[in-house]
């Protein structure tokens, strides 16, 4: 039974990776190549990465499954009941940076943690969008799709998970969100207290909802003509993506501190980023308008 | 007397900023524009920034002088004797990212901290070089110049300050140095124990030595022909510069956490940075050779 749960989640992650990649590859030219890595302490993963395709500048969908004899210290501090116990963790995570500046970047992950005899377990995850230009219809579609996902599961409250996302993806030193949010949660049910089948079903639905939330936006915007101005702005915004991920993102910092696979962890970096001193978009420009959307707001 | 010390250091920083800018501007086209900012808690600074010049892609030389009624918490933890006391801090800091990939990036800062009745004070500082291509003669010139600076002052030990620099500018998750090092020190003399005039003289000499250490390298390499290959490598290496500064640099993180002037703090970011999955330079290429230099090594 213990093994069965882990296996079921790991299979879900792997199947998710394959389906998502098929969906993303269908958007244009370019192939996700596979890079497998092993973790010295136990486990490993497969990063699947596409660079310089016709639609995506850089896109990666990773699956990993790691285990060890004792939960990492930082985690034991958060959850004292897990201290010294063996653990198993698996997840699928993805970051996509499109070429066309009118197509937003996208990030999502779903992950599972299990400790000891599997009596302590939890699911985490979420999905969020980072546009360079704001199209309200796209943002509403994205949030409505995630709300519908939450509404299909009694234990998932969209308003709550959206708020966690708004709070988490906030670049404090810039006083702006990384993008326009989505949903995010560290623990869908508190460790050891939830209905495992129900939380598994939510993670499964979450992975299945990714294409529904993101692909229509890609399809609508990927042919929009753009020039140097839009590309410069895109790369400038990607500098903010870099700032968030390297300064604040817990997963990134945890990975760097614990000697995870660097290339898989930093797959979230864009292919190109740009900084410029004290850059201010022109008043009333579409670039200036985007900045107004980088504060929490109701979308459904 | 208390005021005189502060004023002498602040004047040193300001005079240093002017001289350095004159030296850098003489290298090509482009002007350092001035941006002044005020700190809500007390003090302020002037960032002087050049972007898209003929030699420098992005170059900034900042001077700041800030003060307050009680030393910041993080500092009081390091130096319990300073707790609750008024403080004054001033410094000059600079980062230069040249356009030509054969010209290294350069960073230096000299800073001064004074607490209470000026009985507790210390100087910090250093200078380091980040080439994309290794020319041993350039690296030797750089280190020899810094060693000569140290040798002129009884209290400064080059070997010691070089080691601190090697240790500090280390990108742990990449297991490589940010560049080829230089000298670095948090406290030239332990707070309150040194000879103020001697430490002031070292800081003054350090600022004066910057042009001597860096300008000959700019002059030797700035006309070297290069193509897309070298530029791509340069931007890839600048991604590592970004990784170091946002993940490890204490000054950057302290600035971001304490609400400093963001643009002045992040002036260290390059204009352009590039990431690429699992990029490995060709065996025996000049790019692969550079990587061999990113571990501590004796240079004098």
């Amino acid at each position: 039974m213990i093994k069965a749960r882990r296996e079921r989640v790991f299979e879900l992650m792997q199947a998710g990776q394959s389906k998502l990649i098929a969906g993303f590859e269908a958007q244009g030219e370019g192939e996700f190549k596979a890079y497998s890595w092993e973790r010295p302490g136990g486990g490993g993963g497969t990063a699947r990465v596409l660079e310089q395709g016709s639609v995506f500048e850089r896109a990666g969908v990773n699956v990993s499954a790691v285990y060890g004899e004792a939960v990492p210290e930082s985690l034991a501090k958060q959850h004292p009941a897990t201290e010294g116990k063996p653990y198993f963790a698996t997840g699928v995570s993805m970051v996509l940076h499109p070429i066309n500046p009118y197509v937003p970047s996208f990030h999502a992950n779903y992950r599972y943690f299990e400790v000891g005899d599997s009596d302590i377990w939890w699911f985490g995850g979420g999905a969020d969008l980072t546009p360079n230009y704001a199209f309200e219809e796209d943002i509403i579609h994205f949030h409505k799709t995630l709300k519908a996902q939450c509404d299909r599961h009694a234990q998932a409250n969209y308003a709550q998970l959206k708020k966690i996302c708004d709070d988490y993806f906030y670049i404090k030193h810039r006083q702006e969100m990384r993008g326009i949010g989505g949903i995010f949660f560290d623990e869908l049910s508190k460790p050891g207290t939830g209905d495992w089948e129900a939380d598994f079903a939510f993670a499964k639905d979450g992975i299945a909802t990714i294409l529904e939330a993101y692909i229509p936006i890609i399809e609508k915007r990927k042919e929009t003509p753009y020039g140097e101005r839009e590309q410069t702005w895109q790369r400038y915004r990607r500098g903010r993506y870099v700032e968030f991920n390297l300064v604040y993102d817990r997963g990134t910092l945890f990975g760097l501190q614990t000697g995870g696979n660097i290339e898989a962890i930093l797959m979230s970096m864009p292919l190109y980023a740009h900084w410029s001193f004290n850059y201010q978009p022109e008043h009333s420009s579409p670039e200036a308008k985007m900045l107004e959307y980088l504060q929490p707001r109701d979308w459904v």
Side-chain angles (χ1 to χ4, degrees), chain A:
Chain A
M1 187 61 185
I2 295 165
K3 204 173 171 190
R5 280 186 174 178
R6 298 180 176 192
E7 273 180 12
R8 282 176 64 198
V9 185
F10 184 55
E11 280 164 18
L12 171 67
M13 302 305 174
Q14 287 190 301
Q17 187 184 38
S18 299
K19 269 184 213 161
L20 288 162
I21 284 169
F24 296 137
E25 281 183 346
Q27 288 301 306
E29 304 300 313
E31 196 191 331
F32 282 77
K33 289 177 188 158
Y35 302 82
S36 292
W37 51 274
E38 280 181 27
R39 180 169 165 278
T46 300
R48 293 204 54 190
V49 182
L50 179 159
E51 281 188 358
Q52 318 253 32
S54 67
V55 170
F56 298 108
E57 196 167 86
R58 191 177 204 194
V61 185
N62 293 346
V63 163
S64 66
V66 304
Y67 50 85
E69 285 309 307
V71 299
E73 203 179 321
S74 61
L75 203 78
K77 270 184 195 165
Q78 265 184 283
H79 304 289
T82 69
E83 199 180 337
K85 293 189 177 174
Y87 69 96
F88 171 85
T90 186
V92 62
S93 68
M94 71 215 67
V95 175
L96 295 101
H97 292 298
I99 292 172
N100 191 308
Y102 290 106
V103 185
S105 293
F106 173 80
H107 160 254
N109 72 64
Y110 279 89
R111 50 195 191 278
Y112 174 70
F113 211 92
E114 196 182 86
V115 176
D117 298 335
S118 118
D119 51 325
I120 308 176
W121 56 263
W122 63 94
F123 286 88
D128 67 283
L129 198 69
T130 306
N132 308 301
Y133 291 94
F135 298 100
E136 291 205 358
E137 62 189 279
D138 294 359
I139 306 175
I140 291 167
H141 158 78
F142 187 75
H143 273 276
K144 278 196 169 166
T145 306
L146 295 178
K147 180 175 186 299
Q149 174 198 330
C150 294
D151 289 350
R152 290 191 289 269
H153 303 266
Q155 81 279 36
N157 179 318
Y158 163 78
Q160 206 173 18
L161 304 191
K162 175 196 182 288
K163 169 131 191 7
I164 299 173
C165 188
D166 286 345
D167 292 345
Y168 181 77
F169 290 103
Y170 190 72
I171 308 174
K172 288 183 200 75
H173 63 269
R174 299 288 190 179
Q175 300 187 304
E176 65 184 34
M177 289 165 63
R178 185 175 76 174
I180 57 82
I183 59 171
F184 189 71
F185 53 101
D186 266 332
E187 301 156 358
L188 186 59
S189 305
K190 289 230 170 296
T193 68
D195 174 341
W196 194 93
E197 290 295 342
D199 284 5
F200 177 79
F202 182 73
K204 188 174 177 179
D205 196 8
I207 294 168
T209 301
I210 287 168
L211 295 179
E212 191 191 333
Y214 186 37
I215 294 287
I217 300 173
I218 301 174
E219 287 178 342
K220 193 184 267 172
R221 307 292 169 198
K222 70 183 178 184
E223 307 290 354
T224 309
Y226 67 92
E228 206 185 313
R229 166 187 174 147
E230 291 85 353
Q231 191 178 67
T232 299
W233 172 247
Q234 176 197 54
R235 291 175 179 187
Y236 180 74
R237 294 305 312 168
R238 285 190 178 159
R240 301 290 169 98
Y241 207 93
V242 169
E243 289 179 23
F244 176 83
N245 283 37
L246 294 182
V247 177
Y248 301 107
D249 187 59
R250 288 198 292 264
T252 302
L253 298 178
F254 180 80
L256 296 182
Q257 283 157 13
T258 55
N261 183 277
I262 297 306
E263 293 294 335
I265 294 163
L266 293 183
M267 208 190 54
S268 60
M269 297 292 102
L271 205 59
Y272 303 107
H274 169 54
W275 281 267
S276 179
F277 189 85
N278 212 16
Y279 175 74
Q280 308 286 353
E282 254 178 76
H283 189 66
S284 299
S285 65
E287 290 81 10
K289 192 157 179 282
M290 180 66 228
L291 301 179
E292 296 168 18
Y293 289 85
L294 299 177
Q295 303 298 333
R297 181 188 291 216
D298 280 336
W299 285 109
V300 293

